[in-house]
Structures are given as structure tokens and as C-alpha cells.
């Protein structure tokens, strides 16, 4: 039995409907804009993270004079704002003329060039004052173009995963000595970033470090210590949390489990609290598994990205974070790898297939955008069921997710009943389901030969049950879910 009372526990914010759109330079491309228009229309995401891509904006002419080209940057930001998104802008990467060693590059994405053949220079700047000036110029440009009031709602951050050789000092390993070198350089990078941005306006929100390694806390410890000791402004602290590396699942070393993300979050938050307990925490990249540029053919575990496991994982993880009152203002699903598609259901990280079929995880975001801002008390007697019951005014949204913790058991179908107490009035009731039988184009494609249009129709979220009911104190609704399924009950009061 699933019992929901009208007893409010506390207010909650939607921290989960956000994305890191990757690659950034697809935002000016037709396919990227098509994806983002759909995401905006369906309320899938509010905040979108993108890279400023300094390497494309700043260069020198033959006389050594600075050239500034904001054309592509403005196209991206204009589009995002037009579609109603709130940007999180990552100030990166290093322009060639400014790099201490321009030969330090990262070009590889699963043994392929990055999108549009781009090369990331992972060097530190040879002149930190020039880096500060670029941060100032970029910030002044976006404030002049969009207004201080608008940009003050954004989040501006310094670099991406500076603790990892993929993005900073690609010639160094991950030894403690190398991490120390990176941290010292990044602290200077952040200090100058902060100075450059805040020269434009003190009302802008800045942060970092977007740490990538969840197994080594030396970097974030040293960085936060240096920021605090030197009284450097930091408004938010950003972290990356990925549940598991697929080979560990395939070897039996570690399970695919939403608790991986929760455990890693708890570990890093404990480190942050050694220095700050009052800062906004943003998980600006998350995933159930790493390896965004790897597909299911290379790593079979990743097929979960195509089926109902992923939205169920997402629902259970968010439910647990809400219930533990986690300190999170935003978490952003990373969509890297979505430009690598060659077939419909490949296991790459993304919300759509090659021909724009909506994956179950896309519809999981749609469902969870319907949740309300008051958390209600709930009780459930099934260890495999998680419930997130919410209310706003007299409207209800109840999320039910059903799976084993490690997605390693074939559970029998769930046949249960939701009971809502103290509900009065006439309501339009809708029930949405994503499981092995509903809203699952990948599994449907395995069962029979279907056209792209037929699979698109299956991927379009629609209620499996809809009815207008009049309640006089209590409402009961029978529900059914298969293993690895998620359901949302929506009740909208009409009178």
C-alpha cells in the first residue's frame, strides 16, 4: 500500500530538471537547436550549462593585437534565452596565443576528434593577468548585450574538471604531486577569473571548481582552503558525480545503483563542509555511469541509457536526495556523446536517438518536471518502491518508482494502490508510466519491426489513464508497474 497524507513536511525546489548540453557548439547547429526547442517545450530543463569556448573567441592578429569574435557565442546565448533557459557558463578553454605550452592538447573523444574537429588546449596561461583581462572582456560583453539584471541570474564558473588531465595539464598524471601542481595553477586561474568577472559587477554569481574525480579529494580540499584563507569570493561550489564506470559493472566489482551517486555526493559534501557550510552546491554534471563517448556495443552495461532503467534510476536518486534534504540547488545531466549517434539505440548518453525518438530518460525528465513545491508525508510497505509525493495549492503530483537497488533482479509486476487522504473537490486525474510495457521505444523495437514514425509515437509521453473524479476526503487509485518502472499520478483541481 502507498499512503499519502496532506501533511506538509517542507517546501522543496526542483533541482533536477537541468542539463549540461554537450557539445556546446551544437547549440548554433540545426540538430542542437531542434533538440533544445523540444526540451524547452516539454519543460525538461531550466538551466543549461555550456562552455564559453575562449579558444574560438580570442586570438591575435599578425601585429599581436587582440581579436575578439563573439559571433558564435552570441548565437548560442541568444538562442538559449529565447527558449527560456537560464545559462550556466563555464569560462574555458585556453586560447592558443595565451597557452604556456600550446602543444598540451586534448583532442580525443573515444579515439575520435571532438565535435567539428576541435582541439582543447589544456595548458595554464603564460600570463595570468591576460587571462583576467579575457574574463573581464567576456563578462563585459555579455552584460552589455543581455543586461546586468539578466546575467546576475546566471551562474559563471571557472574551467571544467581542472583536477583531471583531460582538461588541465594533459602531460601530468594523477599522482598527488601532479594534483598539487594543478591545484596551485587552478587557484591562480580562479583568483584572476573572479577578479575579472567582478570588475564588471559585484552582483554576478561565480564559482568552481567543477571537480571531476570523485575518488581523490586533495584537489578540492586544497582549492577551498586557499580560497577561504585568501578571502576570494566564491558564491557556489560545483562538483561532478558519476555513479559507476561500466567495466566495474561488467566485472562484478561494483553495481549499477542510484546509491553510488548518493554515496559519492555525501563523501564530497563532507569535504566541502570542512571549509564552507553556507554555499550553494551545484552538481553541474551527473550521470548513472561515466563514459559518455562510449556506446553499448563497446560496453554492454550502457544499454540502460535506452530503456526504463535510466528514468527509474533518476527518479529513485532524486527521491532519496529530496528525502535526505540534500544541499543541492541544481544537478545537471551531462549529454556528452549525443553527437556520436550512428544508429537508433546505441547506448550513448543523450535524450534522443539518431532520428529524434525520445528515449525513456527524456520522458523521465518530463514526468519529474510535473512535481510540485511542497513535500508531503508518505508511507509505503514495499522495499522496492520509492515515493515522492508533492503538492502545490490543491494540485498533486505523486512519483512512484519500482526497482531493486542494483537493477539486478527480475521483480514481479507491481500491483498496488495509492491512497491520498483529505482530498476534496473535482479533479482531472492523469497517470503516466515508463516501464517495460509503456513509453519504451527501444524494447518495442526488439519485440517487432516498427518504423521510425511508429517508434516516435511510442516515445511521445501520454497518459495511460485519465479521468475526472470527485473526491470527498479520500482518493484511491489502483496502479500497475513492471520491474524498473516509474509512474506519475497527477491531480489537477477543477473545482
Amino acid at each position: 500500500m502507498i499512503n499519502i497524507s496532506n501533511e506538509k513536511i517542507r517546501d522543496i525546489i526542483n533541482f533536477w530538471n537541468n542539463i549540461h548540453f554537450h557539445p556546446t557548439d551544437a547549440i548554433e547547429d540545426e540538430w542542437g537547436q531542434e533538440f533544445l526547442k523540444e526540451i524547452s517545450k516539454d519543460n525538461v530543463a531550466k538551466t543549461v550549462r555550456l562552455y564559453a569556448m575562449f579558444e574560438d573567441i580570442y586570438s591575435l592578429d599578425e601585429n599581436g593585437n587582440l581579436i575578439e569574435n563573439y559571433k558564435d557565442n552570441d548565437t548560442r546565448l541568444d538562442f538559449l534565452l529565447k527558449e527560456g533557459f537560464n545559462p550556466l557558463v563555464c569560462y574555458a578553454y585556453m586560447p592558443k596565443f595565451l597557452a604556456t605550452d600550446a602543444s598540451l592538447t586534448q583532442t580525443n573523444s573515444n579515439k575520435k576528434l571532438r565535435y567539428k574537429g576541435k582541439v582543447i588546449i589544456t595548458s595554464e596561461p603564460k600570463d595570468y593577468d591576460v587571462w583576467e583581462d579575457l574574463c573581464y572582456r567576456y563578462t563585459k560583453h555579455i552584460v552589455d548585450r543581455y543586461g546586468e539584471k539578466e546575467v546576475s541570474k546566471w551562474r559563471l564558473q571557472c574551467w571544467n574538471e581542472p583536477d583531471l588531465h583531460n582538461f588541465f595539464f594533459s602531460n601530468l598524471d594523477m599522482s598527488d604531486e601532479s594534483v598539487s601542481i594543478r591545484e596551485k595553477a587552478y587557484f591562480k586561474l580562479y583568483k584572476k577569473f573572479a577578479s575579472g568577472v567582478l570588475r564588471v559587477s559585484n552582483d554576478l554569481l561565480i564559482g568552481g571548481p567543477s571537480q571531476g574525480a570523485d575518488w581523490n579529494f586533495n584537489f578540492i580540499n586544497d582549492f577551498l582552503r586557499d580560497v577561504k584563507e585568501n578571502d576570494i569570493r566564491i558564491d557556489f561550489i560545483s562538483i561532478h558525480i558519476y555513479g559507476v564506470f561500466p567495466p566495474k559493472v561488467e566485472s562484478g566489482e561494483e553495481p549499477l545503483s542510484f546509491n553510488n551517486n548518493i554515496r559519492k555526493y555525501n563523501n564530497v559534501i563532507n569535504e566541502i563542509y570542512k571549509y564552507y557550510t553556507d554555499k550553494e552546491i551545484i552538481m553541474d554534471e551527473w550521470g548513472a555511469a561515466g563514459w559518455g563517448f562510449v556506446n553499448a556495443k563497446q560496453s554492454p552495461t550502457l544499454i540502460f541509457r535506452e530503456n526504463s532503467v535510466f528514468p527509474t534510476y533518476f527518479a529513485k536518486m532524486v527521491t532519496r536526495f529530496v528525502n535526505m534534504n540534500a544541499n543541492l540547488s541544481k544537478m545537471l545531466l551531462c549529454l556528452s556523446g549525443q553527437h556520436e549517434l550512428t544508429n537508433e539505440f546505441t547506448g550513448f548518453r543523450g535524450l534522443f536517438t539518431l532520428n529524434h525518438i525520445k528515449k525513456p530518460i527524456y520522458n523521465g525528465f518530463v514526468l519529474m518536471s510535473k512535481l510540485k513545491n511542497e513535500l508531503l508525508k508518505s508511507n509505503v510497505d514495499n522495499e522496492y518502491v520509492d515515493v515522492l509525493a508533492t503538492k502545490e495549492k490543491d494540485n498533486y503530483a505523486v512519483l512512484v518508482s519500482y526497482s531493486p537497488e542494483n537493477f539486478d533482479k527480475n521483480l514481479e509486476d507491481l500491483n498496488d494502490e495509492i491512497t491520498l487522504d483529505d482530498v476534496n473537490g473535482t479533479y482531472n486525474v492523469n497517470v503516466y508510466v515508463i516501464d517495460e510495457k509503456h513509453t519504451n521505444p527501444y524494447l518495442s523495437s526488439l519485440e517487432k519491426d516498427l518504423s521510425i514514425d511508429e517508434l516516435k509515437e511510442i516515445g511521445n509521453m501520454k497518459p495511460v489513464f485519465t479521468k475526472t473524479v470527485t473526491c470527498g476526503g479520500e482518493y484511491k487509485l489502483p496502479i500497475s508497474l513492471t520491474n524498473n518502472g516509474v509512474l506519475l499520478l497527477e491531480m489537477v483541481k477543477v473545482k
Side-chain angles (χ1 to χ4, degrees):
M1 296 290 293
I2 300 169
N3 295 308
I4 313 295
S5 81
N6 242 317
E7 181 182 344
K8 175 182 171 181
I9 297 176
R10 64 177 182 276
D11 291 330
I12 58 175
I13 61 166
N14 182 330
F15 57 81
W16 49 86
N17 275 105
N18 309 290
I19 57 172
H20 171 39
F21 194 83
H22 191 285
T24 285
D25 36 353
I27 298 175
E28 68 262 23
D29 293 345
E30 183 178 353
W31 72 266
Q33 292 191 357
E34 185 181 6
F35 282 10
L36 284 163
K37 285 179 181 177
E38 198 82 359
I39 287 167
S40 173
K41 178 175 70 72
D42 288 340
N43 203 26
V44 164
K46 293 298 186 185
T47 293
V48 174
R49 182 181 186 236
L50 71 160
Y51 298 128
M53 300 186 74
F54 278 13
E55 70 274 27
D56 291 345
I57 296 174
Y58 300 111
S59 59
L60 300 180
D61 66 16
E62 63 274 11
N63 297 316
N65 299 311
L66 184 67
I67 299 173
E68 302 175 69
N69 182 355
Y70 297 100
K71 178 177 179 294
D72 287 342
N73 173 82
D74 294 349
T75 298
R76 297 166 196 145
L77 288 173
D78 288 355
F79 177 81
L80 292 178
L81 293 178
K82 179 184 176 184
E83 293 300 321
F85 296 113
N86 185 54
L88 190 164
V89 184
C90 178
Y91 282 43
Y93 288 101
M94 197 59 62
K96 186 174 183 179
F97 79 89
L98 186 55
T100 299
D101 184 352
S103 70
L104 296 183
T105 60
Q106 211 287 335
T107 63
N108 219 315
S109 127
N110 193 22
K111 301 183 180 178
K112 300 177 185 177
L113 284 175
R114 290 183 172 270
Y115 189 56
K116 299 183 180 179
K118 292 293 178 69
V119 173
I120 290 175
I121 296 177
T122 68
S123 168
E124 67 176 325
K126 58 187 173 186
D127 188 326
Y128 281 85
D129 289 335
V130 175
W131 166 256
E132 177 184 336
D133 183 59
L134 298 188
C135 293
Y136 166 77
R137 287 172 179 269
Y138 182 83
T139 308
K140 186 175 186 306
H141 172 78
I142 59 176
V143 168
D144 287 347
R145 185 175 180 86
Y146 304 109
E148 185 175 338
K149 183 178 179 181
E150 171 62 38
V151 180
S152 67
K153 296 184 291 186
W154 304 4
R155 301 295 186 275
L156 310 176
Q157 65 178 184
C158 182
W159 216 256
N160 177 66
E161 297 185 344
D163 55 317
L164 299 182
H165 66 274
N166 300 62
F167 299 101
F168 208 42
F169 291 91
S170 54
N171 61 324
L172 299 179
D173 56 23
M174 288 296 293
S175 66
D176 288 346
E177 181 181 3
S178 296
V179 168
S180 179
I181 292 171
R182 285 194 184 93
E183 189 281 325
K184 286 180 172 61
Y186 178 71
F187 172 67
K188 290 192 290 183
L189 197 77
Y190 180 84
K191 182 179 179 181
K192 291 294 187 178
F193 154 82
S195 178
V197 171
L198 297 178
R199 276 167 55 196
V200 179
S201 170
N202 274 317
D203 291 335
L204 305 181
L205 299 173
I206 61 171
S210 295
Q211 168 150 327
D214 51 42
W215 65 89
N216 187 329
F217 298 116
N218 291 340
F219 184 93
I220 196 168
N221 266 290
D222 291 348
F223 169 68
L224 294 179
R225 179 203 64 214
D226 287 345
V227 167
K228 192 173 185 68
E229 288 180 355
N230 289 276
D231 196 25
I232 307 299
R233 168 98 165 260
I234 188 167
D235 299 305
F236 65 90
I237 298 168
S238 51
I239 56 176
H240 294 177
I241 302 290
Y242 288 94
V244 72
F245 283 100
K248 291 190 174 182
V249 179
E250 286 147 22
S251 69
E253 182 179 351
E254 195 170 348
L256 178 73
S257 172
F258 48 88
N259 278 326
N260 291 338
N261 297 70
I262 295 167
R263 170 176 50 82
K264 290 178 178 182
Y265 163 84
N266 284 332
N267 288 341
V268 73
I269 208 74
N270 287 337
E271 299 301 319
I272 291 170
Y273 281 175
K274 292 177 181 178
Y275 304 96
Y276 296 101
T277 58
D278 59 345
K279 299 298 180 183
E280 179 183 12
I281 307 297
I282 298 177
M283 192 186 296
D284 58 316
E285 286 188 27
W286 78 268
W291 285 21
F293 297 103
V294 175
N295 61 32
K297 185 175 180 180
Q298 297 162 295
S299 185
T301 295
L302 296 178
I303 200 61
F304 79 84
R305 291 173 175 162
E306 307 293 342
N307 59 39
S308 62
V309 168
F310 203 179
T312 307
Y313 185 114
F314 180 37
K316 281 182 169 280
M317 179 181 65
V318 170
T319 300
R320 301 293 176 95
F321 274 137
V322 170
N323 287 337
M324 65 190 267
N325 202 13
N327 182 359
L328 270 176
S329 70
K330 295 177 178 61
M331 52 182 279
L332 291 76
L333 178 67
C334 182
L335 302 181
S336 61
Q338 63 179 342
H339 65 287
E340 300 273 3
L341 304 177
T342 56
N343 297 299
E344 291 310 315
F345 305 106
T346 57
F348 278 121
R349 193 159 51 196
L351 300 176
F352 302 93
T353 73
L354 176 66
N355 283 296
H356 207 80
I357 300 166
K358 295 172 183 174
K359 296 185 182 185
I361 183 59
Y362 180 93
N363 286 306
F365 270 77
V366 174
L367 286 192
M368 294 177 65
S369 72
K370 297 177 181 293
L371 292 168
K372 309 304 181 184
N373 59 15
E374 294 181 9
L375 178 64
L376 300 179
K377 186 175 180 180
S378 61
N379 290 293
V380 60
D381 59 3
N382 189 318
E383 64 177 310
Y384 301 116
V385 173
D386 281 77
V387 175
L388 185 54
T390 64
K391 179 184 178 182
E392 185 173 357
K393 296 181 179 177
D394 288 325
N395 300 320
Y396 298 85
V398 179
L399 185 75
V400 179
S401 46
Y402 176 57
S403 76
E405 177 183 333
N406 298 338
F407 301 93
D408 56 354
K409 297 177 182 177
N410 188 20
L411 303 180
E412 294 182 356
D413 289 1
L414 175 71
N415 292 292
D416 210 328
E417 185 175 69
I418 298 176
T419 301
L420 282 86
D421 295 332
D422 195 21
V423 181
N424 295 280
T426 301
Y427 286 83
N428 289 331
V429 176
N430 291 305
V431 176
Y432 302 88
V433 175
I434 307 169
D435 64 6
E436 294 174 352
K437 297 177 181 177
H438 303 90
T439 329
N440 203 323
Y442 168 67
L443 288 186
S444 295
S445 74
L446 298 181
E447 293 170 358
K448 57 176 113 175
D449 186 22
L450 298 170
S451 69
I452 296 297
D453 286 342
E454 288 172 321
L455 291 171
K456 283 185 176 181
E457 182 59 27
I458 292 169
N460 288 329
M461 174 64 69
K462 45 193 171 292
V464 300
F465 173 85
T466 182
K467 189 176 182 180
T468 299
V469 301
T470 299
C471 307
E474 185 178 73
Y475 178 65
K476 292 180 178 290
L477 178 73
I479 62 166
S480 179
L481 268 177
T482 72
N483 185 31
N484 303 328
V486 58
L487 172 150
L488 185 118
L489 163 64
E490 180 182 51
M491 298 181 64
V492 180
K493 192 168 187 178
V494 292
K495 63 179 181 178

